[in-house]
Amino acid sequence: MAYSFPEEVLEHVFSFLSSPRDRNAVSLVCKSWYEIERWCRHRIFVGNCYAVSPEIVIRRFPELRAVEMKGKPHFADFNLVPEGWGAYAYPWIAAMAEAYPFLEEIKLKRMVVTDESLELISKSYKNFKSLVLTSCEGFTTDGLASIAANCRHLKELDLRESEVEDLSGHWLSHFPDSCTSLVSLNMSCLGSEVSFSALERLVARSPNLRTLRLNRAVPLEKLANLVRHAPQLVELGTGAYSAEIRSDTFSSLADAFSACKQLKALSGFWDVVPSYLPAVYSACSGITSLNLSYAAIPSSDLVKLISQCQNLQRLWVLDYIEDSGLEALAASCKDLQELRVFPSDPFGAEPNVSLTEQGLVSVSEGCPKLESVLYFCRQMSNAALIAIARSRPNFIRFRLCIIEPQAADYLTLEPLDAGFGAIVENCKELRRLSMSGLLTDRVFKYIGTHAKKLEMLSIAFAGDSDLGLHHVLSGCDSLRKLEIRDCPFGDKALLANAAKLETMRSLWMSSCSVSFGACKLLAQKMPRLNVEVIDERGPPDSRLESCSVERVYVYRTVASRQRLDIPDFVWTLDEDSSMRYS
Amino acid sequence: MEASLGLLIGEQNAAVEKEYIGDELELGLGLSLGNGGGEKGAYARILTAKDFPNGFACGTKRERAAAHQISAASSSPSHSAAVRQVVGWPPVRSYRMTSLLNQAKASNAVGEDESSKKKMNHGGHLGFVKVNMDGLPIGRKLDLNAHKTYQTLAKALEEMFFNPTRAGKEPSAKLLDGSSDFVLTYEDKEGDWMLVGDVPWGMFLNTVKRLRIMRTSEANGLAPKSHERNEKQKSKLI
């Protein structure tokens, strides 16, 4: 074309585009842009590992250096997806080992990763730099040993919240003495004790170490030694934060912390002995992120620490903080952006702490930058939600879990429709919403009408009828992920909005009223959707077609609908429209 | 994205229902618009497939109808006495649950059986501790994770060691209330021997290394040691 730029120029321009969405948009402009773009794309993000196949990815993008991928649906975190459902990393790792010898980064979330995969990673990529496994499972510390031993230029090993079979702490000792490249190490999910001297030597020879998250087994008495070797740390996760009270331990710890001028984030704090908390005070003015969600200590001790952190932006804490503590938080931390309050006694019959809706109201009123909330509590009212919505129209993420399912407004005994309605009406930029409490179809009407930027919605024990689901599917223009459990939503709304489902990443429905017949029909109508019926009661055609399925997971895909790793409790529609059994 | 059936969104359920039925005749049977206008989506314990090993046709709708009867008769949810245990609710990840289990300050440890049975990798307490009794050369092992209170622990130990059919043994007595010839003690992380029952269960789980059923006569020095130590700690504060 006479008017087009030379390839090199376009490539250079594209190199400034980092977001996958921008890259995707660029590739749709015309065929030549598609070609140029695909040759210079180095990072991809695959939101659902079954939406595409390794072969398709490799064929399109020959020069990848970083791959990020997610597997199981979010509700797998709460045991709603049976063991063995899928999301195996190995086929991807194996295919990429062949295709991308220069791959540097792999980031996986909710996938099953085996030791075999880890070993393959460690041996296939000469320049491998970063492995981040969030909420993954299926591997042991032996796999970690391969990574430590073979990845000579490893910068990052982050095992956030993964379930690792802990055979021994010996894996850490496999880092060779020549490895000095570590920037980030997060082993907080591991149970076993690693060799402290190996850990100390590793930290001492890693001048670029910025993030160090220890596991609970690292005793407090030894923390000072470690920290002293790494005063450049930006993020530190302690081990167990308890020791016999001794002044030398304390002062040594306090000294070590005062040398850390760059510290921005603190976490860990298992088994906290409050008397040791002042040891971190010298770092508090720089702290922007504090994860105290394992610290089972009273509100007064929490507040003493938090009020030292005037620049706090993110706080994760247990409900021991109580309403009074949240009020103090609202008064001292005006930069707060994200708050998560976890329940200390989720299954207890009676509240064990004095944490109510008032705490959330205080923080919403007092913290002008608050945009992201995850809050567990035992009572809520429409009045509180309306007040919160009015104070804080800048919410982006609002996740409220009232512990008792279908709990009504405790003041008026009405449903909480008006309250959540106020949230979606006022918070025009809301991208993520999780609801709880007593909710009728009305709240879904509000959501469909107002929540135009909503991308992810989580619903449980809510609604009266299909109309609820219909409002959401027809109204929420930006919806990408919808997860529903135990709601009386069924076939009509689903089928009436079948086309919508192709514009979304996925839909999860469990313990609802979706019939097997509807699933088949949906799959027949929409060839680019994979409709997975996940039912542990045996083949769905051994029951009436009008029978509800236990779970249905619908996602768009350009890969074959027959994933090879399908277990025997999952049924999908075959190419010839018959339901396939494995 | 408008609905593929060109549906007009009417205010009433009835209008929508007509449209649906018009175009989806083949699925007309068995479909309804949920539970109708008035019901609020009944909730009770959500039965899972495991409750029906022989299969259950159209289980969910019937369960729901039955459950609605139950919940209609019972008191309103906000005054219910206990949180009914349902899979995956409240939505707290299992690694957090196991961590709470080990650190619980409340006197009753909380947490579903599932989470303690799952392989715990968060510095979790392994569960099995050795138990020795004065006068018996051979000790036993006990899984602490199987217990949530001191009462059940004591009962299990009483059954283990004070089997009334064994000749020559005194019949039980409660190990925790001081009425027996024996008291239950434990060695904690610091190596001290303490009386069982002084601290909240969660704290106990976190610190116990092994148990010893000690003769009352030998246990006299042990009494409020936990208080003593707190006093000592306070005085050492910087």
Side-chain angles (χ1 to χ4, degrees):
Chain A
M1 286 257 287
Y3 301 105
S4 65
F5 287 116
E7 254 181 53
E8 297 78 11
V9 174
L10 279 172
E11 253 187 56
H12 184 69
V13 172
F14 295 167
S15 69
F16 292 99
L17 298 173
S18 49
S19 120
R21 285 192 203 183
D22 289 342
R23 282 265 176 174
N24 292 346
V26 147
S27 66
L28 291 175
V29 167
C30 62
K31 282 203 176 127
S32 65
W33 279 38
Y34 177 92
E35 277 303 307
I36 296 166
E37 195 283 321
R38 76 183 187 90
W39 278 95
C40 65
R41 173 119 43 145
H42 297 306
R43 322 184 71 90
I44 54 157
F45 169 73
V46 177
N48 172 5
C49 63
Y50 290 122
V52 70
S53 70
E55 294 69 40
I56 294 175
V57 171
I58 290 168
R59 193 169 58 225
R60 180 172 172 189
F61 299 116
E63 300 283 326
L64 291 183
R65 298 212 200 108
V67 173
E68 183 179 346
M69 189 172 309
K70 296 188 181 178
K72 299 187 204 173
H74 174 238
F75 273 177
D77 283 355
F78 315 122
N79 301 325
L80 292 180
V81 178
E83 201 75 33
W85 172 81
Y88 301 105
Y90 189 77
W92 286 91
I93 308 285
M96 295 193 303
E98 294 267 335
Y100 304 125
F102 299 111
L103 193 71
E104 295 177 2
E105 297 174 29
I106 293 177
K107 226 165 133 165
L108 304 175
K109 185 169 184 178
R110 276 190 217 102
M111 294 193 73
V112 178
V113 181
T114 55
D115 285 346
E116 219 183 346
S117 302
L118 293 177
E119 203 179 320
L120 195 55
I121 290 174
S122 75
K123 300 208 168 125
S124 310
Y125 310 114
K126 299 295 164 224
N127 213 21
F128 194 71
K129 297 215 169 85
S130 164
L131 181 64
V132 179
L133 300 175
T134 307
S135 307
C136 292
E137 53 166 352
F139 58 103
T140 77
T141 41
D142 284 352
L144 298 179
S146 321
I147 298 284
N150 300 322
C151 300
R152 312 206 154 226
H153 307 286
L154 193 68
K155 282 185 168 173
E156 182 170 21
L157 178 60
D158 188 336
L159 304 171
R160 325 185 176 163
E161 300 163 15
S162 290
E163 247 184 71
V164 184
E165 194 182 327
D166 214 320
L167 300 175
S168 86
H170 205 57
W171 66 273
L172 189 96
S173 311
H174 284 258
F175 278 108
D177 289 338
S178 54
C179 175
T180 57
S181 47
L182 264 188
V183 173
S184 168
L185 177 63
N186 178 359
M187 46 183 247
S188 54
C189 62
L190 298 177
S192 292
E193 208 174 318
V194 297
S195 149
F196 187 77
S197 58
L199 177 59
E200 201 176 2
R201 277 179 286 120
L202 179 62
V203 172
R205 67 174 184 273
S206 304
N208 299 318
L209 194 66
R210 294 275 172 279
T211 299
L212 178 63
R213 299 205 200 272
L214 303 168
N215 64 345
R216 195 171 179 176
V218 176
L220 188 60
E221 295 89 342
K222 305 239 174 102
L223 185 62
N225 294 352
L226 278 179
V227 173
R228 222 173 285 119
H229 286 298
Q232 76 282 7
L233 276 179
V234 175
E235 299 181 327
L236 173 69
T238 72
Y241 206 78
S242 73
E244 208 183 293
I245 311 266
R246 293 170 52 128
S247 55
D248 52 354
T249 313
F250 182 90
S251 51
S252 151
L253 197 56
D255 287 342
F257 274 111
S258 58
C260 294
K261 307 288 184 206
Q262 327 253 27
L263 212 48
K264 290 220 170 333
L266 284 174
S267 58
F269 295 110
W270 288 280
D271 314 314
V272 174
V273 165
S275 328
Y276 273 107
L277 286 175
V280 309
Y281 282 179
S282 58
C284 285
S285 57
I287 295 290
T288 56
S289 166
L290 200 50
N291 182 350
L292 295 169
S293 61
Y294 298 108
I297 51 177
S299 178
S300 50
D301 292 309
L302 289 165
V303 167
K304 273 193 216 131
L305 175 59
I306 290 169
S307 47
Q308 304 271 330
C309 304
Q310 309 278 328
N311 290 314
L312 198 61
Q313 291 171 14
R314 180 178 0 162
L315 176 65
W316 291 20
V317 75
L318 283 170
D319 57 9
Y320 289 125
I321 193 166
E322 299 191 318
D323 289 340
S324 56
L326 289 175
E327 215 178 298
L329 172 69
S332 47
C333 302
K334 294 303 186 186
D335 275 351
L336 194 70
Q337 293 171 18
E338 176 180 330
L339 174 66
R340 294 195 193 191
V341 179
F342 295 97
S344 54
D345 186 11
F347 304 109
E350 295 300 322
N352 60 325
V353 290
S354 176
L355 179 103
T356 68
E357 80 282 9
Q358 190 48 48
L360 187 55
V361 171
S362 309
V363 182
S364 303
E365 282 171 0
C367 300
K369 300 191 186 164
L370 188 67
E371 58 179 29
S372 173
V373 154
L374 169 61
Y375 198 78
F376 284 81
C377 61
R378 284 192 152 86
Q379 66 184 41
M380 187 49 64
S381 66
N382 283 309
L385 282 171
I386 291 169
I388 289 165
R390 296 215 174 118
S391 314
R392 243 3 354 100
N394 46 324
F395 273 130
I396 292 179
R397 275 170 234 105
F398 190 80
R399 296 159 71 188
L400 178 66
C401 178
I402 307 163
I403 289 182
E404 175 74 27
Q406 300 185 322
D409 176 327
Y410 77 101
L411 294 170
T412 64
L413 297 186
E414 282 174 3
L416 290 171
D417 299 335
F420 280 104
I423 295 281
V424 292
E425 203 176 342
N426 285 297
C427 306
K428 305 209 190 299
E429 301 298 312
L430 196 68
R431 295 203 301 252
R432 184 168 178 183
L433 178 65
S434 303
M435 306 192 293
S436 54
L438 185 62
L439 298 164
T440 73
D441 282 347
R442 216 173 311 126
V443 75
F444 297 110
K445 181 147 186 277
Y446 297 144
I447 291 174
T449 307
H450 296 287
K452 295 306 183 184
K453 301 261 179 88
L454 194 66
E455 296 179 5
M456 182 169 177
L457 178 62
S458 310
I459 311 172
F461 307 111
D464 309 313
S465 74
D466 264 358
L467 203 54
L469 180 57
H470 179 72
H471 284 310
V472 171
L473 288 176
S474 57
C476 296
D477 299 333
S478 311
L479 198 62
R480 292 190 298 118
K481 289 180 278 184
L482 180 57
E483 47 184 25
I484 304 173
R485 62 162 299 175
D486 295 280
C487 296
F489 298 151
D491 303 339
K492 288 188 184 123
L494 205 55
L495 292 169
N497 293 283
K500 169 75 171 176
L501 298 179
E502 231 184 67
T503 69
M504 293 165 53
R505 182 187 297 170
S506 65
L507 166 68
W508 169 277
M509 292 178 74
S510 56
S511 306
C512 296
S513 311
V514 179
S515 72
F516 180 55
C519 293
K520 284 206 309 191
L521 200 65
L522 181 62
Q524 276 165 352
K525 270 182 154 183
M526 310 290 305
R528 287 189 298 195
L529 289 182
N530 203 358
V531 179
E532 289 194 11
V533 171
I534 302 167
D535 206 316
E536 291 173 294
R537 297 172 296 178
D541 69 349
S542 62
R543 295 177 286 280
L544 286 179
E545 279 213 354
S546 52
C547 248
S548 300
V549 298
E550 277 180 346
R551 308 166 194 83
V552 60
Y553 184 45
V554 183
Y555 54 89
R556 63 183 175 191
T557 180
V558 296
S560 149
R561 292 210 277 195
Q562 289 320 310
R563 55 184 178 98
L564 297 170
D565 54 10
I566 203 162
D568 58 14
F569 51 82
V570 179
W571 287 267
T572 59
L573 204 69
D574 213 328
E575 303 303 298
D576 62 1
S577 296
S578 60
M579 215 66 182
R580 181 183 173 257
Y581 312 105
S582 59
Chain B
M1 231 350 97
E2 76 247 24
S4 53
L5 298 177
L7 204 64
L8 281 172
I9 311 309
E11 286 299 303
Q12 287 97 18
N13 289 2
V16 177
E17 187 165 21
K18 268 196 211 128
E19 302 273 356
Y20 281 130
I21 286 176
D23 283 45
E24 301 293 357
L25 273 177
E26 64 264 46
L27 290 176
L29 197 66
L31 289 181
S32 67
L33 275 181
N35 298 323
E39 259 180 31
K40 297 274 190 269
Y43 168 72
R45 189 176 83 87
I46 303 298
L47 305 173
T48 66
K50 295 186 174 60
D51 298 322
F52 301 100
N54 301 319
F56 191 162
C58 300
T60 324
K61 284 204 179 66
R62 243 186 273 163
E63 283 161 34
R64 237 181 235 112
H68 182 70
Q69 308 296 347
I70 298 168
S71 71
S74 66
S75 51
S76 73
S78 49
H79 296 298
S80 66
V83 174
R84 291 159 259 200
Q85 295 222 358
V86 167
V87 175
W89 192 268
V92 180
R93 302 226 12 230
S94 54
Y95 71 85
R96 238 176 231 295
M97 289 315 314
T98 53
S99 195
L100 290 177
L101 196 75
N102 291 333
Q103 294 190 90
K105 290 211 121 171
S107 52
N108 287 325
V110 296
E112 288 186 322
D113 283 338
E114 289 168 340
S115 52
S116 50
K117 279 180 194 149
K118 247 188 158 170
K119 198 155 173 68
M120 281 166 17
N121 285 312
H122 280 270
H125 192 95
L126 281 177
F128 278 96
V129 291
K130 278 202 196 150
V131 192
N132 285 83
M133 180 161 128
D134 286 356
L136 291 186
I138 298 181
R140 303 281 301 273
K141 272 191 156 184
L142 182 85
D143 181 6
L144 284 180
N145 277 335
H147 297 278
K148 294 200 174 134
T149 64
Y150 287 122
Q151 279 67 34
T152 63
L153 173 63
K155 194 150 189 334
L157 287 173
E158 283 154 24
E159 275 162 22
M160 222 185 252
F161 288 95
F162 292 104
N163 190 332
T165 66
R166 280 171 65 190
K169 271 280 153 202
E170 305 282 2
S172 131
K174 307 293 175 192
L175 280 171
L176 287 182
D177 66 5
S179 61
S180 163
D181 286 341
F182 291 87
V183 289
L184 187 55
T185 65
Y186 70 101
E187 184 185 9
D188 70 8
K189 275 200 284 216
E190 277 95 357
D192 296 322
W193 285 93
M194 320 271 282
L195 272 182
V196 166
D198 277 348
V199 299
W201 175 258
M203 231 187 258
F204 166 68
L205 266 193
N206 209 26
T207 191
V208 60
K209 276 193 355 205
R210 55 190 166 130
L211 296 170
R212 181 172 154 205
I213 301 174
M214 213 183 266
R215 275 184 234 281
T216 316
S217 46
E218 289 192 32
N220 279 331
L222 286 183
K225 190 122 183 211
S226 54
H227 293 297
E228 267 177 41
R229 193 202 311 219
N230 284 343
E231 295 308 319
K232 266 197 243 166
Q233 284 180 347
K234 280 189 191 139
S235 65
K236 279 193 189 162
L237 264 178
I238 317 320

